[in-house]
Amino acid sequence: MPIIPSHVSVSTKESSTCTRESPDYTSRDRDPHATTILLCRSKGSQTSLEHQLFMEEAYNSAICFKMLRDIGTADLLQIKYITKKIKKMAQRSPNLVMETIYDFFKDNPEMSCRHRFRLFQVLVAVIGALEVLEETWQKCFMQLALEHMAKSTELDDLYQDAASNVLLALCQHSWPAVAKHLETEFLTGVFPHRSLLYVMGILFSQEELLKKEDRENWKGLLSQMARKSVPFLNTDVWSKELLWAITKAGRTQQEHAPDKAFLFTYYGLILQAEENSTTVRTHLKTLLETSHQWAKQREGIALTVGLVAVRHLADTWAILEQFGRSTPFKWSLQNFSLKNLEDLRWKWASSTLLLSYGQMAAWAKNHILPWVDNILSRMIFYFRFSSWDETLKQSFLTAVTMLVGAISRSEGAHSYEFSQTSELLECLMTLLEKEPQDTLSTSIRQQAIHIVSSLCALRPPMDVDRKSRLLSICFRSIFALPQLDALEKQTCLLQEPPNIQVQPVLKPRGPWGAVAALGTHPHRTWLTSSLLQGLYRQTMEALDHMLQCFMVQNPTANELHFLLLHLYVWLTSEKTHERQRAVHRCTTLFKFLNQKRCLSTKENFVRIGQLVATLGILCQDSDRTIQCFSLEALGHLYQLLMHQKAQETPEEERESPRELFRPDADEATLWSSGDQKGSPPIPQGMAFSDDSIFHMSSNQALKVITNHLEMAELTDVIWTAIDGLGSSSNSWVQASADLLLFVIQEHGDSLATVGKMGQAIHHHLCTIQMPQAKDSALRVITLLARNHIPELVAAFLDFSSPLDSNAFRLWRALGAEQPASYLILTVLLAWLQKRPPPPSVEDSSSCPDEKPYLRSLAAMNTIHELQFAREFKKAVRDVFPQLFLAHLAQMHYILELNQPTEPEPGQKAQEAAMPSPQSLASLLGCSISLEALKSLLSTTGHWHDFAHLELQSAWEYFTSVHTYPQAVGLLARAMVQNHCTQIKAVLGYLLPNLQSPQERERKTAILLLVEFLYSPALLEVLSKQAALTVLAQSLQDPSSEIRVASLQGLGNILFHPEKESLLQGQLPAFLNGFFQKNEAVVVGIMGMVSDVLHRLGTQGAGAQSLSIAINARHFFDDEQDKVRAAAMALFGDLVATVADREQSNLRTQVCQSMVPLLLHLKDQCPAVVTQAKFAFYRCAVLLRWQPRYTLFCTLAWETGLSARHFLWTCLMTHSQEEFSIHLSQAINYLHSCHRHIKTWAALFIGYTTCNQPQAVSQMLNDKDIRLLFSTFKDLKRDPEPGIREFATRQLSFFRMVSAKPKK
């Protein structure tokens, strides 16, 4: 029986867990002879639970101890078994196992290094199996690992790596401690030990060792360490050790140790962080002058160069240029025989340069676009002028692959014109042509074709001639290869079978997302039959992928026909294996088109006859393989046709297929005569499932296809008609429009997809000159809207930002029928609400998904325009509450997008400051959403609410997230004060928004609700108690702004009637404060009185109203701008709160304020002008002036003489009794020191004189006339011609008045 160690000590809880699960463990894992050591309870006595637990713990600890001891002498199979058992035990009793392992290490210092090596492996497995590791064990085993990582033993690096693996296993449990230690060791100024480099290398290449939340910390740590290591570059010893560690020979040069892989990366990051350009260039130059003999060394140098290029692109380019012009390098370009080791150092230097340019492109990311042509030119130069061997070709292909990958990841690459792509294609075609035609031993064909596939997406697109030559070369290089068995025989006959190169998928990525791992070259292995077959299959798949890329980039029938034209040569080849390969490619292409549905329906089946005929012939080929592939191709072609029918034909009609694509007369005779051998006739009404075609004979399949082409023909008719709309012939355009309208009238309901049709109609609409043809095309949209509104709306949104006149006509046509207009607005609202979450400050690099985001903006823009359309007038009124809330939420969303975010630690300042496409679009979207809200109010009869915000210049508050609550509050307050009829409806949609998961919707809802508490309409929707409940629930909202607004609402006078007398009682004291000498104090007090009036709501100031009015009017002409503005604002707020019963008391004050307010519209202070406008408008509302809308428009936007005349007319028309008061007030303003007010007063008097000369002449005394003479003489020099002319006429009048004797 094993000795029980004295160190066993675990918690009771853990022990109970072990006790419960121990029977299962022992029954499965214990040796049968070990049953004699079971600790059984005595039959005669009952032991305590604590004793039982202790004995179970002791037993398990002893078992663990024995296994740890036995592992030193066990073989590999036993070690695997023991490790598995200890891992299971650790999952049940982690503390027990960890304590046993730790004590075993401490109690047995004399154990062999091999035993300790195995224990480290067990420890790594145990730590990795645990989800949680106590902090005590984290510290203990971290210390244990650190003690042994640098220890020298007979196992050399293997022992240190095993100890280092313990530290790596601890990373998932105690990453902060490990990271801190690594940082400390690296920043001591002494070059780190190899074991530390190994740890960093493993972490660098295997990020999955860290938890997800720790990976970002790891990236930041590595960048921070690199930045702090920059000073070490100037330390001679440290720099030399770094260079020695990078260039030293490993165990084998064909593999790359993790420490060296990391060093190349770390070196690159340090140089990347170095600010001194000279230092960067010196180190890069030194690195490039090292040996280029081994592939891993070349790849490592290239990686370092690429990392440096992130911040020192120009310096990196300069050093590479300098290195390319150096004498040893130029010498290496020539074809020479190997003479000594020095030759080998430089032989593949051009390979290093090629890889360096590739890595430079991969890491420079978005900055690489301006450099692409230069880099490509260098790559092409070194490729053309270097000695051709497999190393050079593989380096060239790898570098180009990285460059093309970097281009594809760069924003704007698709709009960038690359001048070197044609030269690159020539190099690739040369490579393919130079490949031996009788062997297949490398992946060069495969890589070259993959690069061509990537180039398909770049501009400029390949011209037709070059694409044709490329297809011919690719097909000849692959199709003309011998048969697979012949390739195998040919390879076996070679005296030295080649090392076949298997190209891995280029997916290794470093912590920063670019290609960072070494070893991107294909690995080599001896050629075997299975590997050759794999390489053959991959090469064929690459060719398939290239054809698919051509179709994806240009998914038209013409492109498909262009590709098939080059395949037809091989489909009709005399050699069986060439026909096999060609028909296989054709089948795969159709299968891809069938699955992806990427082929445009524009001209899909117009030129299908040649393909059907060719495949029909190949179905009768003597080779069974060709027959199968051809039949499968027909099956996929049939599925394409059936897909069209399935989308366009109602369900009940699918059981009786109709003949669609009518063959020629000869073909119809052939297929209807029953001449096909072994092909029984197929009944016309027979229905086939999509898969059944693959189980038919070739003749049956062809018969089915020719009998089911009607829907394709119908689709082709529609697309042909749409294409005809763009014709230059008016008669053709008219005929096309009529045909299109007829087909849609008959079959529009059965069409499955119409979005692209709608977009195509929009595309051609601008070129249609004939009104009748244009009306027919628009009528087509109206008919399609009956069944396809969601799809058409989505399609139209793609061209609706901005909305041109033709697009607007399409939208109007889409909603021409009343039910459709309501549904269109509903769908647009749904798109408007598909807002991607705005990027957070913590993740500023993330951006909203572009397609939904742009469609959301387009929906907002479209709604804005449709609010003015006659067809949508009723629908807009019906959905006013939804539109109102949606516009408010959209504005808040766009404001969220515009909020500045802090750049990431490694991000450059200029990159962080560069606006994203989303932010640029949101700047425009903010303006559009605001205009949409304005138009909603103005077009639905709520212009009174619009007027309140317009006259206050309050719309600008919607342009900032900080003033957004104030803007919503002012808008809601305007709705309450104007007794808006939609308040109840808005409340119905507002209350559910308080429970929305989106903060912006809850915030908008609570801001509106707080102001709606002042409206009597609220109690018709909510009881007072229900309103209290809603506000109380909002106090629990996560948003502090919402909680604050809820508190404000709970303090409303609706819930506290006693506040009325308290607030009114405070007013006299506030009024006394108006006469303080401090401007800020006076303005503040006036603002407080306005706030009190607002809080009193409909109760108003009561008896205090007259005092407030008199005191406010006293400051209309104050010398201080802010006081004047505050006084007018207060007067306007008072007027807005006056009830009908109080109007008589205030009417005199209001009438006497009209002329001062009118004249202050020309005040020098913009704030005073704004408040004067708003107060004047409010007074006019109180006095019931008409026409009120014209008055608002004049105040808001008119500034000329006509506007002044209109305002004077309104004043004179509605204030005949106060004529003398108004005239005397105007005369007094002639003494004003403000020139514009004085001019405005003179014009006012002039208008009055023109209309009522007799009354004016009687009121003026000699002093007044002299003052008027002086004023109008000054106005004769006014820069505005109209005023000068008016002043001249008035002077003549006053001369006449002064000449008449006074009665």
Side-chain angles (χ1 to χ4, degrees), residues 45-314:
S45 61
Q46 183 69 31
T47 60
S48 66
L49 177 61
E50 290 78 8
H51 182 263
Q52 180 184 358
L53 294 176
F54 174 79
M55 296 306 293
E56 290 286 345
E57 295 163 14
Y59 168 75
N60 287 307
S61 179
I63 291 295
C64 182
F65 186 90
K66 182 178 184 301
M67 288 189 291
L68 294 175
R69 183 185 63 194
D70 294 344
I71 203 171
T73 57
D75 57 24
L76 292 178
L77 187 60
Q78 291 173 329
I79 292 174
K80 183 177 180 180
Y81 176 74
I82 292 173
T83 303
K84 180 179 179 181
K85 291 187 65 175
I86 294 178
K87 282 173 61 177
K88 289 182 178 180
M89 186 180 292
Q91 290 172 347
R92 296 184 179 93
S93 304
N95 283 341
L96 184 146
V97 174
M98 301 309 288
E99 185 175 0
T100 303
I101 295 175
Y102 182 77
D103 286 348
F104 192 91
F105 269 102
K106 293 301 181 182
D107 297 340
N108 298 277
E110 73 285 354
M111 78 175 85
S112 66
C113 62
R114 189 172 299 276
H115 191 177
R116 197 177 289 110
F117 169 81
R118 293 178 173 180
L119 288 177
F120 282 136
Q121 292 180 320
V122 173
L123 183 57
V124 169
V126 170
I127 294 175
L130 297 178
E131 295 183 359
V132 178
L133 184 63
E134 290 186 3
E135 185 177 355
T136 302
W137 300 124
Q138 295 175 14
K139 294 180 180 179
C140 291
F141 289 111
M142 181 176 171
Q143 184 61 36
L144 179 67
L146 294 175
E147 291 175 1
H148 291 270
M149 282 170 55
K151 192 172 182 179
S152 299
T153 66
E154 60 183 353
L155 297 179
D156 295 328
D157 293 348
L158 292 176
Y159 182 88
Q160 296 176 357
D161 292 349
S164 301
N165 288 334
V166 175
L167 190 64
L168 287 167
L170 290 170
C171 286
Q172 63 177 329
H173 299 288
S174 57
W175 167 245
V178 175
K180 183 177 179 181
H181 176 78
L182 292 174
E183 182 180 12
T184 302
E185 290 296 321
F186 264 77
L187 300 179
T188 58
V190 178
F191 193 79
H193 187 268
R194 193 207 67 84
S195 59
L196 290 173
L197 298 177
Y198 171 85
V199 171
M200 297 297 280
I202 295 298
L203 286 174
F204 180 77
S205 60
Q206 302 178 26
E207 283 189 334
E208 61 272 14
L209 293 175
L210 299 176
K211 295 180 180 177
K212 187 176 181 181
E213 57 270 19
D214 292 333
R215 293 175 190 172
E216 290 297 325
N217 296 334
W218 158 238
K219 300 174 188 178
L221 173 66
L222 197 53
S223 299
Q224 181 180 356
M225 289 168 56
R227 289 195 300 271
K228 292 182 178 180
S229 298
V230 170
F232 302 153
L233 292 175
N234 299 320
T235 304
D236 188 61
V237 175
W238 195 91
S239 298
K240 288 181 178 179
E241 287 192 64
L242 172 62
L243 192 62
W244 177 84
I246 285 178
T247 58
K248 71 175 181 178
R251 290 189 293 270
T252 64
Q253 290 295 344
Q254 295 302 321
E255 62 178 307
H256 214 296
D259 53 339
K260 186 172 288 190
F262 167 74
L263 275 178
F264 278 116
T265 302
Y266 192 56
Y267 195 15
L269 292 175
I270 296 174
L271 292 176
Q272 181 187 118
E274 171 62 62
E275 299 290 340
N276 191 311
S277 175
T278 304
T279 303
V280 172
R281 294 192 178 202
T282 300
H283 280 267
L284 283 180
K285 182 175 180 295
T286 304
L287 182 62
L288 287 170
E289 290 173 351
T290 60
S291 175
H292 301 267
Q293 179 178 357
W294 301 105
K296 300 301 179 181
Q297 189 75 9
R298 296 192 295 269
E299 294 161 7
I301 294 173
L303 176 58
T304 302
V305 170
L307 288 169
V308 176
V310 173
R311 288 192 62 200
H312 304 283
L313 189 56

Side-chain angles (χ1 to χ4, degrees), residues 1144-1196:
S1144 57
N1145 298 331
L1146 275 182
R1147 182 177 178 82
T1148 301
Q1149 294 297 321
V1150 172
C1151 290
Q1152 293 179 5
S1153 70
M1154 299 304 284
V1155 170
L1157 291 173
L1158 183 63
L1159 296 180
H1160 275 290
L1161 294 180
K1162 294 298 179 180
D1163 197 285
Q1164 63 181 359
C1165 177
V1168 175
V1169 174
T1170 299
Q1171 295 302 332
K1173 285 182 180 181
F1174 191 39
F1176 187 91
Y1177 174 79
R1178 284 177 152 182
C1179 292
V1181 172
L1182 181 69
L1183 297 174
R1184 295 183 173 85
W1185 285 11
Q1186 296 295 338
R1188 192 177 302 171
Y1189 182 77
T1190 307
L1191 175 64
F1192 153 63
C1193 293
T1194 304
L1195 287 171

